[in-house]
Amino acid sequence: MSSSSSSLSFSSFVVVLLLCICGVYSSSASVTKIGKGYRLISIEEIDGGIVGHLQVKQKNNIYGPDIPLLQLYVKHESEDRLRVHITDAEKPRWEVPYNLLPREQPPKLKQTIARTRKNPIAVSEYSSNELTFSYTADPFSFAVKRKSDGQTLFNTSSDESDPYSSLVFKDQYLEVSTKLPKDASLYGLGENTQPHGIKLFPNDPYTLYTTDISAINLNADLYGSHPVYMDLRNVNGQAYAHGVLLLNSNGMDIFYQGTSLTYKIIGGVFDFYFFSGPSPLAVVDQYTTLIGRPAPMPYWALGFHQCRWGYHNLSVVEDVVENYKKAKIPLDVIWNDDDHMDGHKDFTLNPVNYPRPKLLAFLEKIHSIGMKYIVIIDPGIGVNSSYGVYQRAIADDVFIKYEGEPYLAQVWPGAVNFPDFLNPKTVSWWGDEIRRFHELVPVDGLWIDMNEASNFCSGLCKIPKGKQCPTGTGPGWICCLDCKNITKTRWDDPPYKINASGIQAPIGYKTIATSAYHYNGVLEYDAHSLYGFSQAIATHKALQGLEGKRPFILSRSTYVGSGKYAAHWTGDNKGTWEDLKYSISTMLNFGIFGVPMVGSDICGFYPAPTEELCNRWIEVGAFYPFSRDHANYYSPRQELYQWETVAESARNALGMRYKLLPYLYTLNYEAHISGAPIARPLFFSFPNYTECYGLSTQFLLGSSLMVSPVLEQGKTNVKALFTPGSWYSLFDMTQVISSKEGKYVTLDAPLHVVNVHLYQNTILPMQQGGLISKEARMTPFSLIVTLPAGASEGQAKGNLYLDDDELPEMKLGNGYSTYVDFYATVSQGTVKVWSQVQEGKFALGKGWTIEKITVLGLGGSAQASSLQINGNPINSNSKIEFNVLEQTHLEEVEVGGEKQKSLMVEVNGLAFPVGKNFVMSWKMGING
């Protein structure tokens, strides 16, 4: 269960907002310059890279003493990826563990630097085919350029006039800056709720430190830490993108001032990775090559999910499933928050409200029709000597420690200890507990929440004597342990204060004390933001080991690389129009972060959405990659059938989603093999069109399906941006919008209507939908082919991936998957549509067929003739039917003084096996 209220009281939220409004917590970087930087004193070639040493120029004690000698390591790890690693030259420092995020190791530290160099370097540039690293020796700075166009992507030099320092490297304070061109558009640096949209906004605060404060807090460090950004520039009408990752798990403030970006970090090392792009898709491809490709999702996970904290007993859950069926609203997965648990304890069942025999009977019933069941688990393990999970944990010594004892915190069960997922013994113990629980309840996935880690108390706590904790009455998030502040160490009270929780809260506030320690003495101070990531890895390993099936995990806290193991939802949002808007930006950010399976609580987590808002939210949420309605214990019921108007909007929007499942599943495959986000900003497909660089109210699914939702109260139309070219309404394919330069168009959008458009040059595979993905998956296919409206010459393409989604791997070549490329052309009056199949056996075994092909945008007005299939003419006795309709151009476009015309041609009655190549062609009297 989410715990928006557990971290800061509502009054604190108000204080934060007021302070932000009043500007008390200024986000501009301090103009106090710290020191004179470092000088390069040696540099040599080594193991395919270069190693240098940097000596501090002038020591000072601001935020602690300088580290006198640093080691610089630079390597072109691939043609499009450059690494720059800077650490203490004399002793090891904390880095993101190499077993957690596998990558190349830098060279070992030199014991001495005084010896003669074997391979000294005279030049100050070091290049691959794509990127060039250059440096200045004194004061040391470096720059990264893209060779093909000479653009400087990163430049750490600091002039007297610059409001930031040269390189600073202390034990608990690291600082480095880069210059930026004024017109660069930046994206990323999260997780946070960005009120200004997806584009980073100068002088907004960007703090990275995993924190359980609700997503209603603007510009604050939320549940995930992703210190990566994409930089998009338009030079003379041509777009260029690159990416920058600082692989560091310590807390940090990042100050973006428009023409510069400054990192202020409270530990670790500088470990920069630069990705050359130059397209936005290429950046994400290069980034996920390093951090891990997104996890393959099972097919059912792309269906609709229903959850609520407060399904008090099993009969309520059964009613919810039945009511969705009655309302004819699609539903694939039913969830339990902690209501199924015995006393909020992980891996348990409440014997009264969720008796095991009845729950097993319910699961057998829903599993038989293809529905799935997921429950929550929190990391905190209840301290309870009669609780087997806790007994085994103590026996295996799996908990995070403080002064030799398991660190004591409070979450929903009361007093808890936190498993240390950096400890191999913990990973084994966790896997065993999941196995035991799965034998108790055959769940289909796990929801790992509260893993920032969230704690309802702060400091060093003891279980109170003589009083019950928690009391069992009132809110469960009130701290009832006896606690005292810990300020005695520099880890609990570091010299530099990041803007934690948006209010410069102590970094141990409502989480694990930062002086607590993990396996091998690793400090929580360093590993804090990795907690949810390490838990996701352990959970993934456990689920995959159970039945050899593809795991589904939903995690609240994420870090660089989390997408390889888990999906994400954006945490505790509010049922407000503003939060509906924010959900789009956060979703798009996570696609850039390599976590494409993402969505927000539809209709808001709390308090109560209005009926109109819930209508509009399902029209957006039906197109989130991860689509789930979820609500708070204290909110009124908001399942989609609670209002008849919302039910109608849900049937429309989710009805379309379920027809699009083959497309979404193919996008899931593309994400897994190339990192490509499922939901994307428009600039991913139209990078040269600067008008869409800040667009945060529309989004794409894949490269060409655009969703333009209503996001404002009382509106029955929406002003939507259409890029140059032709766009076809998916709900009414006779409607087309075309333009040469691109433009805003006001679209009708009555309460039950969401506008979804398909771009030209696309072939979209669809099925007939259904109330559950298992059924929808077996219906016949249709293809939608979009050509530039009215063009006499044109082409389109698309693809389709199908597999046995139980298998852990998502790949071709195992006999359990099929991949199809679709192509279409129109040329000299002939329309041709064909397919090329790889590994057809799987699709043929399922008996899938294509029964209809619809071609949009054809010019002319004559009837179709001379139909051929696989080279054979089709006679008039065939069951195949042609249906030709004239399309309506919502915005009239004149070509050569005449209003443009275009046709929609439907070919029905086909029976092409999906697993076999086909070719279909016909002639039309197309205007040349």
Side-chain angles (χ1 to χ4, degrees):
M1 114 216 35
S2 280
S3 70
S4 52
S5 313
S6 71
S7 296
L8 294 175
S9 67
F10 185 74
S11 59
S12 299
F13 294 146
V14 174
V15 170
V16 173
L17 292 170
L18 287 173
L19 290 170
C20 291
I21 291 164
C22 300
V24 173
Y25 292 111
S26 167
S27 63
S28 59
S30 164
V31 292
T32 307
K33 294 201 181 187
I34 302 174
K36 303 287 184 184
Y38 285 75
R39 69 168 68 87
L40 183 72
I41 57 171
S42 71
I43 191 161
E44 64 174 321
E45 288 190 70
I46 181 172
D47 299 332
I50 55 175
V51 172
H53 287 91
L54 309 173
Q55 192 172 58
V56 69
K57 289 181 56 127
Q58 181 182 316
K59 292 183 180 178
N60 67 71
N61 284 314
I62 302 170
Y63 303 134
D66 297 278
I67 291 176
L69 196 65
L70 304 178
Q71 177 170 291
L72 164 73
Y73 172 61
V74 182
K75 187 175 182 184
H76 292 283
E77 293 190 339
S78 69
E79 288 301 331
D80 46 35
R81 182 173 86 230
L82 170 71
R83 184 182 190 183
V84 178
H85 182 277
I86 302 173
T87 187
D88 186 333
E90 295 177 315
K91 59 184 181 193
R93 289 181 61 78
W94 165 257
E95 298 187 41
V96 174
Y98 283 78
N99 62 338
L100 217 57
L101 190 68
R103 59 203 190 277
E104 288 186 36
Q105 295 260 15
K108 288 192 163 49
L109 301 175
K110 303 283 184 185
Q111 295 308 306
T112 171
I113 62 151
R115 62 189 175 80
T116 309
R117 294 290 164 216
K118 290 178 188 167
N119 304 301
I121 291 176
V123 298
S124 61
E125 283 198 351
Y126 172 57
S127 295
S128 70
N129 285 347
E130 295 293 330
L131 294 169
T132 297
F133 171 86
S134 62
Y135 63 86
T136 302
D138 189 7
F140 172 75
S141 68
F142 71 87
V144 178
K145 289 185 179 177
R146 194 189 290 109
K147 279 179 81 173
S148 57
D149 51 58
Q151 286 183 46
T152 299
L153 311 185
F154 202 82
N155 176 4
T156 70
S157 63
S158 171
D159 304 324
E160 284 296 317
S161 59
D162 290 323
Y164 46 81
S165 308
S166 293
L167 183 71
V168 181
F169 204 120
K170 298 164 186 280
D171 189 27
Q172 288 182 268
Y173 182 80
L174 285 66
E175 183 184 326
V176 70
S177 301
T178 178
K179 292 174 163 46
L180 292 166
K182 276 182 185 166
D183 57 352
S185 297
L186 267 56
Y187 310 88
L189 300 181
E191 173 179 10
N192 57 18
T193 299
Q194 297 173 202
H196 297 105
I198 51 172
K199 209 166 133 177
L200 298 189
F201 197 77
N203 299 320
D204 272 0
Y206 296 96
T207 298
L208 302 188
Y209 189 73
T210 62
T211 307
D212 173 14
I213 59 170
S214 90
I216 69 169
N217 290 276
L218 307 182
N219 291 325
D221 45 323
L222 300 180
Y223 315 103
S225 173
H226 294 270
V228 61
Y229 69 86
M230 183 185 291
D231 180 333
L232 179 62
R233 304 174 186 179
N234 192 288
V235 181
N236 301 321
Q238 184 65 38
Y240 301 89
H242 68 272
V244 179
L245 166 67
L246 172 58
L247 190 60
N248 180 302
S249 64
N250 291 81
M252 66 180 82
D253 287 332
I254 302 172
F255 296 98
Y256 169 49
Q257 294 186 293
T259 56
S260 67
L261 187 125
T262 298
Y263 297 88
K264 299 188 174 192
I265 316 149
I266 60 172
V269 301
F270 289 122
D271 194 2
F272 281 107
Y273 291 85
F274 300 94
F275 308 95
S276 64
S279 71
L281 264 182
V283 172
V284 182
D285 186 356
Q286 293 153 10
Y287 179 56
T288 54
T289 299
L290 172 71
I291 67 164
R293 297 296 198 195
M297 293 292 151
Y299 202 90
W300 54 261
L302 292 159
F304 183 68
H305 303 245
Q306 177 61 51
C307 185
R308 176 182 174 78
W309 177 24
Y311 287 149
H312 300 294
N313 57 47
L314 180 58
S315 64
V316 180
V317 176
E318 291 172 319
D319 284 348
V320 170
V321 172
E322 193 56 35
N323 284 327
Y324 266 94
K325 189 177 170 185
K326 274 186 196 163
K328 294 187 167 51
I329 301 170
L331 179 65
D332 258 78
V333 192
I334 187 73
W335 295 54
N336 262 128
D337 209 311
D338 81 338
D339 305 292
H340 69 285
M341 295 180 184
D342 184 12
H344 305 290
K345 297 192 297 294
D346 281 346
F347 308 120
T348 63
L349 273 184
N350 183 312
V352 176
N353 296 333
Y354 283 83
R356 183 169 181 252
K358 287 188 175 176
L359 179 58
L360 291 180
F362 167 69
L363 293 185
E364 194 172 331
K365 181 182 168 187
I366 67 167
H367 283 155
S368 71
I369 60 166
M371 276 189 67
K372 306 295 179 181
Y373 177 62
I374 294 175
V375 300
I376 201 167
I377 43 173
D378 294 339
I381 300 299
V383 175
N384 183 329
S385 58
S386 63
Y387 172 36
V389 178
Y390 175 74
Q391 291 169 343
R392 291 185 290 272
I394 288 292
D396 286 346
D397 191 23
V398 305
F399 292 129
I400 291 170
K401 301 283 182 57
Y402 188 89
E403 293 181 343
E405 296 295 321
Y407 177 75
L408 192 71
Q410 181 193 328
V411 203
W412 301 111
V416 299
N417 298 143
F418 287 114
D420 172 15
F421 293 103
L422 300 184
N423 184 341
K425 280 199 302 186
T426 309
V427 175
S428 300
W429 161 83
W430 186 251
D432 185 56
E433 295 303 337
I434 287 175
R435 179 189 60 76
R436 289 168 182 266
F437 182 63
H438 194 266
E439 287 173 3
L440 188 72
V441 186
V443 295
D444 300 288
L446 287 171
W447 172 17
I448 53 176
D449 189 20
M450 311 289 286
N451 51 354
E452 293 71 32
S454 178
N455 180 1
F456 299 163
C457 303
S458 301
L460 185 60
C461 303
K462 292 179 182 171
I463 296 175
K465 288 180 180 169
K467 71 169 181 175
Q468 188 182 340
C469 176
T471 60
T473 59
W477 56 79
I478 304 299
C479 180
C480 59
L481 300 177
D482 287 339
C483 303
K484 62 178 184 181
N485 284 338
I486 307 174
T487 54
K488 61 186 176 186
T489 76
R490 60 195 180 101
W491 312 116
D492 299 301
D493 187 23
Y496 175 78
K497 309 292 185 273
I498 62 169
N499 192 26
S501 301
I503 54 169
Q504 290 188 311
I507 55 173
Y509 177 68
K510 296 289 182 83
T511 188
I512 300 167
T514 39
S515 52
Y517 56 90
H518 296 250
Y519 180 66
N520 276 351
V522 167
L523 282 163
E524 169 69 8
Y525 180 86
D526 293 316
H528 171 82
S529 289
L530 300 176
Y531 194 84
F533 177 45
S534 61
Q535 186 195 12
I537 294 172
T539 307
H540 189 274
K541 183 178 180 184
L543 286 180
Q544 202 163 57
L546 275 181
E547 297 174 325
K549 289 184 180 179
R550 191 175 301 175
F552 178 82
I553 298 161
L554 184 72
S555 180
R556 190 168 74 180
S557 187
T558 58
Y559 184 70
V560 173
S562 284
K564 184 178 178 183
Y565 306 97
H568 174 66
W569 93 106
T570 64
D572 298 354
N573 58 359
K574 252 183 164 174
T576 68
W577 293 93
E578 290 74 23
D579 283 68
L580 172 58
K581 279 194 199 101
Y582 302 150
S583 75
I584 295 175
S585 296
T586 310
M587 168 182 72
L588 297 177
N589 262 332
F590 269 87
I592 293 170
F593 297 152
V595 189
M597 189 64 168
V598 59
S600 294
D601 286 346
I602 291 169
C603 298
F605 180 63
Y606 72 100
T610 64
E611 184 174 344
E612 183 193 358
L613 175 62
C614 214
N615 270 278
R616 294 308 192 185
W617 208 317
I618 187 54
E619 290 171 355
V620 181
F623 300 98
Y624 293 152
F626 172 63
S627 182
R628 184 183 73 157
D629 181 307
H630 178 43
N632 189 318
Y633 187 93
Y634 302 98
S635 299
R637 296 285 289 271
Q638 63 183 48
E639 292 84 3
L640 302 177
Y641 55 77
Q642 297 287 351
W643 304 269
E644 183 43 47
T645 64
V646 177
E648 187 177 335
S649 293
R651 285 188 289 268
N652 288 347
L654 287 172
M656 180 57 77
R657 180 190 182 90
Y658 273 61
K659 290 175 184 174
L660 290 169
L661 285 175
Y663 178 66
L664 289 170
Y665 194 66
T666 302
L667 293 177
N668 169 35
Y669 173 68
E670 288 180 3
H672 180 56
I673 61 168
S674 72
I678 296 172
R680 309 172 191 175
L682 266 68
F683 68 74
F684 265 66
S685 288
F686 307 98
N688 294 337
Y689 190 62
T690 55
E691 188 75 27
C692 66
Y693 282 15
L695 188 67
S696 307
T697 52
Q698 296 165 253
F699 59 94
L700 294 173
L701 289 174
S703 60
S704 52
L705 194 70
M706 181 169 73
V707 183
S708 306
V710 172
L711 302 171
E712 294 176 70
Q713 186 175 358
K715 288 289 177 75
T716 54
N717 56 37
V718 60
K719 188 180 175 189
L721 180 64
F722 285 82
T723 60
S726 300
W727 290 90
Y728 299 89
S729 168
L730 204 58
F731 283 94
D732 179 358
M733 288 182 273
T734 64
Q735 304 282 331
V736 56
I737 292 171
S738 288
S739 65
K740 284 186 177 175
E741 280 81 39
K743 59 187 168 187
Y744 278 93
V745 178
T746 300
L747 305 169
D748 284 337
L751 190 60
H752 305 305
V753 170
V754 57
N755 281 279
V756 181
H757 288 82
L758 187 61
Y759 193 57
Q760 65 186 38
N761 311 328
T762 302
I763 301 180
L764 178 72
M766 295 174 75
Q767 282 172 288
Q768 292 180 355
L771 295 182
I772 191 164
S773 66
K774 186 179 178 181
E775 291 172 7
R777 205 176 178 190
M778 298 317 295
T779 60
F781 280 82
S782 59
L783 301 179
I784 314 298
V785 180
T786 58
L787 298 163
S792 54
E793 303 280 325
Q795 59 185 27
K797 60 184 178 183
N799 46 41
L800 174 64
Y801 175 84
L802 300 157
D803 73 357
D804 175 354
D805 71 325
E806 297 275 87
L807 295 175
E809 288 295 318
M810 193 179 208
K811 62 183 181 183
L812 272 177
N814 56 9
Y816 295 98
S817 56
T818 294
Y819 189 85
V820 189
D821 283 300
F822 297 110
Y823 301 94
T825 56
V826 57
S827 179
Q828 297 180 332
T830 297
V831 181
K832 182 180 171 187
V833 184
W834 72 100
S835 72
Q836 289 182 352
V837 179
Q838 298 176 55
E839 306 280 337
K841 179 183 166 189
F842 175 73
L844 288 171
K846 293 288 185 183
W848 282 308
T849 59
I850 298 165
E851 68 169 19
K852 182 165 85 167
I853 294 176
T854 305
V855 183
L856 309 180
L858 289 169
S861 56
Q863 290 297 310
S865 62
S866 307
L867 175 66
Q868 290 195 348
I869 291 178
N870 298 328
N872 300 314
I874 301 301
N875 62 38
S876 56
N877 297 327
S878 161
K879 291 181 181 177
I880 295 171
E881 292 178 4
F882 271 84
N883 188 13
V884 182
L885 293 169
E886 188 161 328
Q887 295 186 291
T888 305
H889 288 253
L890 294 189
E891 298 280 308
E892 296 290 352
V893 176
E894 291 196 358
V895 179
E898 290 185 13
K899 286 186 176 173
Q900 193 174 23
K901 289 184 176 178
S902 63
L903 299 175
M904 164 178 160
V905 176
E906 284 183 344
V907 189
N908 290 295
L910 303 171
F912 297 152
V914 171
K916 275 190 181 171
N917 293 347
F918 73 83
V919 181
M920 180 172 76
S921 65
W922 69 86
K923 290 195 178 301
M924 293 192 72
I926 292 176
N927 299 334

